[in-house]
Amino acid sequence: ANTEPLPFVLPKLTEEQKQVLDRGERLQEQTKMGRDGSGYVVVDVKAPEYVVWECLLDFESYTETIPTVRDVTLLTSTHLKSGYHSEKPVMTEGRQQLRHYGTPSLTRAAFTLSKFRLKIAAIHNYRPHPDGHYMDFRLDPDCTNLVLKAAKGVWYTQTNPDGKGEEYTRVWLLCDLKVSRALPSFIVDYAAQRAMPRATTWLKPQVEAAASLWLKNDPAPPASPLL
């Protein structure tokens, strides 16, 4: 079992913020981005933790579950210090069987986003942990440019948040961004305000629908290797 502390620190929620989550709403906070900024989104979903991770790890289905994702290409992960153009595409059929709740995995993928067909790639590292599973991700070296210098973040889950019940999971998305000094800060702030909702609004309806279906067909959750 992983006994190391979590490699990140969660923001401390105020009582007002917890009330927002209790109403079933999504909470988003961000610093004034400037050149270096950070932000987070948190939402409570009525679904067990394993359902959340089965959805997050199913990269092949992102084109169906996330409206802004138009295409996904899974790649080999043999040259992590080099850009994704040095990797080869991998067959997607059956790949999701290798990525499941409780099983550590490393996934490199390229995405085509929005109607502008923006191409980005990221490296995702999923790790089970006794204090909540997490998946950190970072922008692929080939995707950094004169404007976007670096981007990284983490998905994280907490079961039974604030004693709501085991059927609830709190999902966090933490993000850090570094941009060029040539880019006006108000543009960075606007882009972040738009990007974080697009990355998260799909999650609650998707995982709650999946939980309703999966729990109806198979009410017994998979055993976590950490137990």
Side-chain angles (χ1 to χ4, degrees):
N2 190 345
T3 58
E4 293 292 322
L6 290 167
F8 52 87
V9 177
L10 288 179
K12 188 172 178 59
L13 297 177
T14 66
E15 289 303 316
E16 285 184 343
Q17 290 174 319
K18 291 180 180 179
Q19 290 174 8
V20 171
L21 297 175
D22 285 341
R23 294 195 296 268
E25 299 175 15
R26 185 180 55 85
L27 178 67
Q28 176 174 328
E29 299 286 347
Q30 71 185 66
T31 63
K32 282 290 182 183
M33 289 291 179
R35 306 297 166 239
D36 301 288
S38 62
Y40 68 87
V41 176
V42 57
V43 63
D44 287 352
V45 298
K46 191 174 183 181
E49 184 183 45
Y50 82 90
V51 175
V52 175
W53 283 110
E54 290 297 309
C55 291
L56 285 174
L57 292 168
D58 188 6
F59 295 99
E60 292 90 339
S61 295
Y62 275 18
T63 54
E64 300 171 12
T65 57
I66 308 178
T68 56
V69 176
R70 304 301 172 90
D71 184 65
V72 177
T73 302
L74 296 182
L75 302 161
T76 55
S77 302
T78 54
H79 306 284
L80 293 179
K81 292 184 178 180
S82 301
Y84 75 96
H85 289 105
S86 64
E87 304 286 3
K88 297 179 180 179
V90 297
M91 295 293 294
T92 58
E93 186 175 352
R95 293 291 298 178
Q96 217 268 320
Q97 297 176 7
L98 304 177
R99 301 187 309 275
H100 281 296
Y101 169 76
T103 303
S105 61
L106 182 71
T107 304
R108 195 169 199 169
F111 306 93
T112 303
L113 305 179
S114 82
K115 61 184 179 182
F116 300 109
R117 313 297 292 183
L118 177 66
K119 193 86 169 184
I120 68 164
I123 300 167
H124 310 77
N125 187 12
Y126 165 65
R127 288 293 177 264
H129 195 282
D131 296 329
H133 296 206
Y134 66 93
M135 179 168 66
D136 62 54
F137 58 89
R138 66 184 187 274
L139 191 67
D140 190 277
D142 275 353
C143 293
T144 58
N145 51 46
L146 293 175
V147 174
L148 184 58
K149 299 298 184 182
K152 63 180 181 178
V154 62
W155 288 98
Y156 173 65
T157 53
Q158 294 173 306
T159 59
N160 190 17
D162 301 327
K164 280 187 175 184
E166 295 295 332
E167 70 273 25
Y168 285 92
T169 301
R170 180 160 293 166
V171 185
W172 295 80
L173 174 62
L174 314 174
C175 297
D176 290 286
L177 191 67
K178 184 187 293 289
V179 299
S180 167
R181 293 183 178 276
L183 198 64
S185 60
F186 75 89
I187 294 180
V188 182
D189 289 334
Y190 175 76
Q193 288 173 353
R194 301 267 294 185
M196 286 196 290
R198 290 179 178 180
T200 55
T201 51
W202 66 275
L203 187 68
K204 184 179 176 69
Q206 178 67 26
V207 301
E208 290 184 347
S212 177
L213 177 63
W214 296 351
L215 293 177
K216 179 180 179 181
N217 294 333
D218 185 9
S224 171
L226 300 173
L227 299 178

